[in-house]
């Protein structure tokens, strides 16, 4: 099906009709930005949560009904006719995919759902903006690439740093050799920013607003606890990969970008340190970690936990450059000549990244973070996590050889078993 192409070309206003799947912490933020920049028509929102507190901050009240209310309030404010457009709220994403009037989807569900929702959307003929980390496992990425390329669809990975003029400046400078030959890249990911219950935690009754079984979806069936789901899912390996995939999807994507390696990966990976909560805690991802990778071009990448949530530092034979959430610095001020001001308002990186997606839905050009780019940077995070998860058993010094073209560890069956995740039926 190539419906999006024809609708975009034929539509009198050339506006794209979208649906938002997952209207929690990031989904609501993206929806607000989408509406503020008036990037298209939001015809549908979908979330397995009708509406509740319990998200990242105590005052956040998110879910499908708050999202519908937000869209309709915006439609009312923009309406000139006095009959503002409606937005439908769905609990089941498949009902959104069945709508022929929807061209594109913004998918902002937890990581363990990314592949299933994305591939089903692509197969329904929709273009997709899917949040980072694009995948939940190395195996997921191959399926997503196939679905995009076979269906001739547009997919933008939500790696919005690709649309941040400051990140563009720094990564492109490193890539262009402005600091000489690149030797080392140091990336930082923030520490866990939430505390979960420790060993012996007790299950809670499932609240009536949440379809918990669908929230779990392809993940194992586990007793409900409020800290398992909304926002905090990123600290449990059944749904995500901790800060290594959360913030690591940004800073390690930038590392690949500055290296000029949009597609590909390292040749070896080693966990240098990893700390975990006591066994039986609900949060089981590493709380603090450090890993290193080596690339065929001789560059060494060190990724470690730090105070700054996202930071990427490029070191070369003639100097260094670094950028992150706390600012941009360099070994020599001349390297910063031409550094753009932070982009704000409707040109902030998240909005600009969605705008780039919408432009590409219309033009059928490649977006700034196509599926292969999202896959490659997620692979780096996943193979690091494989080593991190084995660290308590193996200790330091276990260097795994990675074959990026085969997407497999060489001669390491234990590590290779961690490249795919079991999927619970009927979502397998
Ligand atoms: N680009 C960024 O900087 C950025 C920032 C934050 C989060 N994210 C990404 O966004 C994604 C969501 O994170 P979050 O912080 O918004 O989590 P969240 O828990 O706050 O929101 C996720 C929402 O998805 C809903 N959901 C779960 N399964 C669903 C399903 N099958 N169908 C419909 N809705 C479903 C949940 O009920 C929840 O409301 C993650 O992949 C995360 O990495 C990206």
């Amino acid at each position: 099906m190539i419906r999006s192409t024809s609708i975009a070309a034929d539509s009198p206003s050339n506006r794209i009709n979208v649906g938002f799947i997952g209207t929690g912490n990031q989904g609501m933020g993206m929806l607000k930005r989408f509406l503020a920049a008036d990037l298209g028509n939001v015809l549908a929102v979908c979330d397995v949560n009708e509406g509740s507190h319990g998200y990242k901050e105590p005052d956040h009240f998110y879910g499908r009904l708050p999202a519908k209310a937000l869209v309709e309030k915006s439609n009312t404010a923009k309406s000139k006719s006095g009959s503002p457009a409606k937005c439908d709220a769905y609990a089941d994403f498949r009902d959104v995919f069945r709508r022929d009037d929807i061209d594109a989807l913004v998918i902002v569900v937890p990581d363990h759902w990314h592949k299933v929702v994305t591939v089903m959307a692509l197969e329904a003929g929709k273009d997709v903006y899917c949040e980072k980390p694009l995948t939940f496992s190395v195996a997921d990425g191959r399926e997503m690439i196939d679905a995009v390329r076979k269906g001739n669809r547009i997919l933008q990975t939500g790696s919005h740093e690709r649309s941040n003029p400051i990140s563009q400046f720094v990564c492109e400078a490193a890539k262009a050799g402005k600091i000489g030959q690149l030797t080392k890249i140091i990336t930082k990911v923030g520490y866990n920013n939430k505390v979960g219950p420790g060993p012996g935690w007790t299950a809670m009754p499932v609240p009536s607003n949440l379809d918990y079984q669908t929230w779990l979806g392809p993940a194992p069936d586990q007793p409900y606890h409020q800290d398992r789901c909304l926002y905090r899912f990123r600290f449990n390996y059944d749904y995500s990969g901790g800060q290594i995939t959360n913030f690591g999807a940004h800073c390690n994507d930038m590392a690949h970008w500055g290296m000029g390696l949009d597609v590909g990966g390292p040749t070896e990976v080693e966990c240098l340190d990893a700390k975990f909560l006591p066994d039986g805690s609900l949060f089981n991802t590493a709380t603090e970690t450090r890993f290193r990778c080596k690339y065929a071009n001789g560059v060494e990448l060190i990724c470690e936990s730090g105070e700054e949530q996202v930071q990427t530092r490029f070191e070369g034979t003639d100097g260094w450059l670094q950028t992150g959430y706390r600012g941009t610095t360099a070994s020599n001020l001349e390297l910063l000549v031409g550094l753009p001001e932070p982009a704000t308002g409707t040109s902030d990186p998240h909005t600009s990244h969605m705008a780039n997606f919408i432009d590409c839905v219309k033009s059928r050009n490649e977006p700034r973070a196509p599926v292969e780019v999202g896959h490659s940077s997620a692979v780096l995070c996943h193979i690091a996590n494989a080593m991190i998860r084995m660290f308590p058993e193996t200790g330091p010094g276990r260097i795994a050889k990675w074959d990026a073209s085969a997407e497999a560890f060489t001669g390491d069956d234990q590590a290779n078993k961690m490249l795919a995740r079991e999927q619970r039926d009927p979502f397998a």
Side-chain angles (χ1 to χ4, degrees):
M1 196 195 280
I2 49 160
R3 202 176 26 73
S4 301
T5 321
S6 51
I7 282 186
D10 294 341
S11 164
S13 62
N14 206 25
R15 278 171 74 81
I16 298 298
N17 293 331
V18 304
F20 272 68
I21 314 290
T23 52
N25 164 54
Q26 177 73 354
M28 281 295 257
M30 297 296 272
L31 185 55
K32 281 179 199 157
R33 292 180 179 104
F34 192 96
L35 295 169
D38 203 16
L39 296 177
N41 306 319
V42 181
L43 301 193
V45 291
C46 167
D47 200 297
V48 292
N49 182 16
E50 189 178 62
S52 73
H53 288 102
Y55 284 90
K56 184 179 177 190
E57 305 298 342
D59 62 326
H60 290 168
F61 185 80
Y62 294 155
R64 65 181 178 272
L65 293 187
K68 172 183 161 74
L70 182 76
V71 177
E72 292 190 339
K73 188 174 170 201
S74 164
N75 289 350
T76 302
K78 286 176 197 157
S79 171
K80 294 192 179 90
S81 67
S83 51
K86 293 252 166 284
C87 170
D88 294 310
Y90 297 89
D92 186 331
F93 58 83
R94 291 168 297 188
D95 290 333
V96 182
F97 299 172
R98 284 186 197 107
R99 282 188 57 164
D100 282 341
D101 55 347
I102 290 183
D103 307 306
L105 294 155
V106 180
I107 295 176
V108 202
V109 291
D111 310 2
H112 69 289
W113 262 117
H114 282 188
K115 179 200 73 181
V116 175
V117 180
T118 296
V119 170
M120 287 181 76
L122 295 165
E123 287 178 354
K126 315 296 184 193
D127 295 317
V128 168
Y129 182 111
C130 179
E131 265 305 342
K132 52 47 65 178
L134 183 63
T135 62
F136 182 48
S137 72
V138 173
D140 277 1
R142 276 289 129 212
E143 284 184 57
M144 291 166 91
I145 291 171
D146 286 351
V148 171
R149 296 304 166 204
K150 279 187 191 144
N152 200 19
R153 295 287 97 209
I154 300 295
L155 185 143
Q156 172 91 298
T157 308
S159 298
H160 65 265
E161 290 301 329
R162 296 258 172 181
S163 293
N164 180 346
I166 294 175
S167 301
Q168 286 166 351
F169 179 91
V170 170
C171 294
E172 292 296 338
K175 193 167 144 187
K178 298 243 166 85
I179 51 171
Q181 194 178 339
L182 211 52
T183 52
K184 192 172 186 177
I185 304 174
I186 303 169
T187 60
K188 296 223 194 275
V189 297
Y191 299 112
N192 288 7
N193 54 347
K194 295 286 171 193
V195 178
W201 58 270
T202 46
M204 294 174 148
V206 177
S208 59
N209 54 279
L210 181 70
D211 175 357
Y212 178 55
Q213 274 305 320
T214 308
W215 187 94
L216 285 172
D221 194 1
Q222 295 282 359
Y224 175 79
H225 189 287
Q226 64 185 14
D227 291 340
R228 185 184 291 286
C229 296
L230 311 178
Y231 184 80
R232 292 155 179 79
F233 69 86
R234 40 176 68 52
F235 305 118
N236 188 302
Y237 281 126
D238 282 345
Y239 325 110
S240 185
Q243 301 296 35
I244 289 294
T245 51
N246 185 32
F247 293 127
H250 290 307
C251 56
N252 293 321
D253 179 60
M254 289 166 67
H256 275 187
W257 182 6
M259 229 190 288
L261 189 85
D262 276 348
V263 175
T267 53
E268 62 181 47
V269 53
E270 177 187 8
C271 177
L272 302 170
D273 194 13
K275 293 188 175 56
F276 294 87
L277 293 169
D279 279 353
S281 301
L282 182 55
F283 292 178
N284 60 8
T285 59
T287 53
E288 240 179 270
T289 187
R290 190 157 193 263
F291 73 84
R292 61 164 275 278
C293 290
K294 198 94 190 162
Y295 286 80
N297 59 5
V299 173
E300 183 181 52
L301 168 76
I302 304 268
C303 175
E304 58 195 8
S305 307
E307 289 297 333
E308 193 166 358
Q309 291 180 330
V310 172
Q311 189 191 85
T312 308
R313 175 186 169 99
F314 296 100
E315 295 183 357
T317 47
D318 299 340
W320 57 265
L321 256 170
Q322 76 178 45
T323 189
Y325 286 3
R326 293 184 182 171
T328 304
T329 48
S331 53
N332 175 344
L333 283 183
E334 274 178 28
L335 286 167
L336 299 179
V337 172
L339 180 73
E341 288 296 313
T344 54
T346 50
S347 57
D348 88 306
H350 294 274
T351 314
S352 162
H353 207 53
M354 281 191 292
N356 171 247
F357 168 63
I358 295 295
D359 286 348
C360 294
V361 170
K362 293 175 183 171
S363 68
R364 312 313 289 171
N365 289 333
E366 277 292 69
R368 292 190 189 120
V371 62
E372 291 84 0
V373 167
H375 170 57
S376 287
S377 47
V379 165
L380 168 56
C381 302
H382 295 318
I383 61 175
N385 256 342
M387 305 313 289
I388 288 166
R389 293 182 73 176
M390 289 189 283
F391 185 80
E393 185 194 320
T394 62
R398 178 180 176 157
I399 299 173
K401 299 284 177 201
W402 177 249
D403 179 342
S405 51
E407 294 190 342
F409 290 102
T410 307
D412 194 331
D413 292 343
Q414 192 185 5
N416 277 330
K417 284 199 185 108
M418 302 177 84
L419 301 181
R421 302 287 199 115
E422 265 187 40
Q423 308 268 289
R424 189 165 63 117
D425 280 335
F427 307 104

